[in-house]
Amino acid sequence: MEWVSVRMRASLRGRHVSGAERIVRQEDIPSTLCELIKRPKTYDQLHLTVERLKDVEIFRANLKISSYTFEDVNEARDFAVQVLSKSGVSEDLARKAVNLIRSGASPEGWNMRGAVLMDINTGERLEEDPYRGVRTVRVDWLKREEVSRYLTSQGYTLRTVDALAIATKNIFCGVLAELCWSDDPNYVTGYVASSKMGYVRISPLKREGDPLGGRVYFVKKEELRKVVECLERKALLLDL
Ligand code: COA
Ligand code: AMP
């Protein structure tokens, strides 16, 4: 059966403002394009990519979701460090990851265009381009509407639907643990994900109005090539 990757990215004055993707059947391309072009509130350029996929694997998503809310950012970040520690990351490296995202992980102290790759044993940064990092793409839910309905009925947001897909693909590809919070100044909930701890939502991982965010993927250096190839190229449809 043939599947197609439909991707949208939009920018304003050279800055990325919105991105989304779907993996759909040929006959659903027009409606998907119509849906995706409505997503960015404002932009001066919008790019659409429609790409036929050769091999798509279907994978059962099995990350348990939990949510924790704290009085302040420092407590929430300490908790994220604990969850990373329980996922096999040393406390030092977990703090290093928090500090990287907090202060902007690109060399200019701003957001990267993708995720940091960090060696889980040494803390060495492994991404080729520290402004770009690596992006998790070619992933979607097999039954997106059903999953969205289910997760929103449980009190989760549509953001969680997308972030859970990324986190699940990351683990599938060999990412051992992930720390994430958004660069959206109005969205302060982030997460730690790992196969042992599941998808742990944590709020507030930053202060309201803070424009910095990012992702750190903990990986084994010796698996780097295989993991990056999987994150960027492998097409994965998630079943719940
Ligand atoms: N952040 C910042 N810049 C981005 C970007 C992002 N997330 N995605 C794309 N860009 C910009 C970069 O300048 C990039 O150049 P680079 O590769 O040198 O960094 C340029 O656009 C082209 O990127 P490309 O990777 O070719 O884009 P794409 O057409 O394959 O689309 C997206 C990638 C936008 C779909 C992906 O980044 C994204 O945001 N996915 C949505 C994630 C998601 O919610 N998935 C869950 C689905 S269930
Ligand atoms: P967001 O949750 O979309 O606000 O993204 C938070 C941060 O994660 C961004 O600042 C990027 O550094 C990084 N990022 C965005 N999209 C991706 C992706 N598809 N894969 C990996 N990292 C990403």
Side-chain angles (χ1 to χ4, degrees):
M1 192 101 56
E2 199 162 8
W3 295 97
V4 182
S5 163
V6 181
R7 303 196 289 279
M8 179 281 297
R9 63 184 164 87
S11 58
L12 181 65
R13 292 187 280 277
R15 259 192 63 194
H16 176 85
V17 289
S18 176
E21 69 171 311
R22 301 285 182 265
I23 295 176
V24 298
R25 300 275 190 216
Q26 167 91 19
E27 62 268 28
D28 294 325
I29 295 174
S31 59
T32 306
L33 290 171
C34 285
E35 183 212 332
L36 294 186
I37 58 171
K38 288 189 200 134
R39 279 182 61 128
K41 285 192 204 89
T42 167
Y43 60 87
D44 52 29
Q45 276 197 35
L46 186 146
H47 295 256
L48 294 165
T49 303
V50 178
E51 174 196 64
R52 280 188 204 293
L53 298 170
K54 285 205 187 75
D55 297 306
V56 179
E57 188 166 332
I58 296 180
F59 177 68
R60 183 167 288 276
N62 55 5
L63 287 183
K64 190 173 146 285
I65 308 178
S66 55
S67 298
Y68 298 84
T69 302
F70 294 87
E71 289 291 315
D72 73 61
V73 171
N74 291 333
E75 266 181 58
R77 287 178 179 172
D78 285 346
F79 181 71
V81 168
Q82 278 178 39
V83 181
L84 284 167
S85 303
K86 287 183 186 157
S87 305
V89 177
S90 74
E91 195 176 322
D92 273 3
L93 294 193
R95 290 210 180 275
K96 181 174 173 174
V98 168
N99 287 330
L100 259 182
I101 302 182
R102 181 180 60 80
S103 51
S106 84
E108 68 208 334
W110 188 242
N111 299 315
M112 290 171 63
R113 308 198 298 280
V116 171
L117 291 165
M118 190 178 282
D119 183 347
I120 195 163
N121 293 311
T122 64
E124 183 190 352
R125 282 181 67 171
L126 303 170
E127 66 276 9
E128 250 170 48
D129 175 349
Y131 291 90
R132 178 183 192 273
V134 67
R135 284 195 294 274
T136 306
V137 280
R138 297 181 178 82
V139 56
D140 196 2
W141 295 100
L142 181 61
K143 297 171 195 141
R144 169 169 277 274
E145 278 184 22
E146 227 175 84
V147 173
S148 302
R149 235 180 292 121
Y150 172 70
L151 288 176
T152 49
S153 78
Q154 302 291 305
Y156 299 114
T157 59
L158 286 175
R159 262 174 201 273
T160 307
V161 176
D162 288 340
L164 182 64
I166 291 188
T168 304
K169 182 177 180 192
N170 291 345
I171 291 170
F172 170 91
C173 288
V175 172
L176 301 166
E178 174 186 358
L179 170 67
C180 166
W181 68 82
S182 177
D183 54 38
D184 180 342
N186 302 312
Y187 196 74
V188 298
T189 302
Y191 64 86
V192 169
S194 67
S195 52
K196 181 165 175 214
M197 301 305 291
Y199 181 89
V200 185
R201 298 172 80 235
I202 305 171
S203 196
L205 276 178
K206 69 175 191 180
R207 285 172 195 88
E208 197 77 40
D210 180 350
L212 295 177
R215 286 183 158 87
V216 176
Y217 296 172
F218 290 93
V219 297
K220 285 188 186 153
K221 188 176 181 179
E222 57 274 25
E223 292 180 357
L224 185 65
R225 264 169 181 273
K226 190 195 74 178
V227 173
V228 171
E229 168 74 18
C230 178
L231 294 172
E232 294 186 335
R233 310 297 320 170
K234 173 88 188 167
L236 201 65
L237 267 173
L238 305 172
D239 204 356
L240 198 62

